[in-house]
Amino acid sequence: MKTYMAKKESIERKRYLIDATDQILGKLAVAVAKLLMGKNKPAYTPHVDCGDFVVVVNAGKVRVTGNKARTKTYEKYSGYPGGRRVRSFEHMINKNPAFVIREAVRRMLPKNKLARKMLKKLKISRGPDHKHQVQRPQEISISDVK
């Protein structure tokens, strides 16, 4: 028996559309990360980017459970004294909902150069309209991603 290793030339990429309306942030991020990595395909190979393109719409309508809307924070640090900035989930979801979803997905991908390539295949739209209708993405529910 030989182990099959996918090659980047032999990979067929699909395009998926996911509606984030009333979806829980963590479950949405898990499904999107699986699609970006290609873990739903039988030819999954860890060192090859064999994932698909994902378009997420209605990013502003994603939700979190419990008290996370008030207590979850996003931090960044400029490197200077006093340069630490802390923003709450409520603030970030109103200001830039694409950042919230992209950050949740980024943290679920491997920490290497390949993950940065995978993240470029994620397109997030604040409302129901998106720029990728020409590619005709297949609409999928997060419960369908295995």
Side-chain angles (χ1 to χ4, degrees):
M1 301 272 304
K2 292 191 176 186
T3 304
Y4 175 75
M5 293 290 186
K7 295 174 180 58
K8 66 178 181 180
E9 299 86 24
S10 64
I11 296 168
E12 291 184 27
R13 300 195 193 285
K14 294 183 181 177
R15 298 177 191 284
Y16 292 108
L17 176 72
I18 296 179
D19 188 4
T21 305
D22 293 330
Q23 299 291 336
I24 297 173
L25 177 62
K27 291 183 180 184
L28 175 71
V30 166
V32 171
K34 280 184 183 178
L35 291 171
L36 290 175
M37 285 189 278
K39 283 204 162 189
N40 58 331
K41 295 181 178 183
Y44 169 70
T45 307
H47 64 277
V48 178
D49 182 12
C50 50
D52 299 315
F53 290 88
V54 179
V55 178
V56 178
V57 294
N58 292 321
K61 297 180 182 175
V62 75
R63 64 185 182 92
V64 290
T65 59
N67 292 330
K68 289 188 209 93
R70 289 188 309 275
T71 59
K72 184 171 179 57
T73 58
Y74 295 93
E75 294 184 25
K76 66 180 184 177
Y77 182 59
S78 68
Y80 290 97
R84 181 171 166 250
R85 302 286 183 256
V86 180
R87 303 278 190 241
S88 69
F89 174 82
E90 289 175 332
H91 175 78
M92 291 305 290
I93 200 72
N94 291 330
K95 181 182 175 195
N96 188 1
F99 172 81
V100 172
I101 294 176
R102 186 177 316 284
E103 193 66 10
V105 171
R106 182 189 67 82
R107 291 173 179 176
M108 292 187 184
L109 293 175
K111 282 38 172 193
N112 55 24
K113 293 178 186 176
L114 192 58
R116 290 187 278 283
K117 288 182 184 177
M118 291 175 189
L119 204 57
K120 288 181 182 178
K121 296 183 300 186
L122 174 62
K123 309 298 179 189
I124 303 171
S125 175
R126 182 179 203 130
D129 300 327
H130 59 91
K131 304 187 279 191
H132 308 282
Q133 281 111 356
V134 177
Q135 286 86 15
R136 293 194 312 258
Q138 174 188 352
E139 195 161 341
I140 189 171
S141 170
I142 63 170
S143 61
D144 295 339
V145 178
K146 300 273 189 253

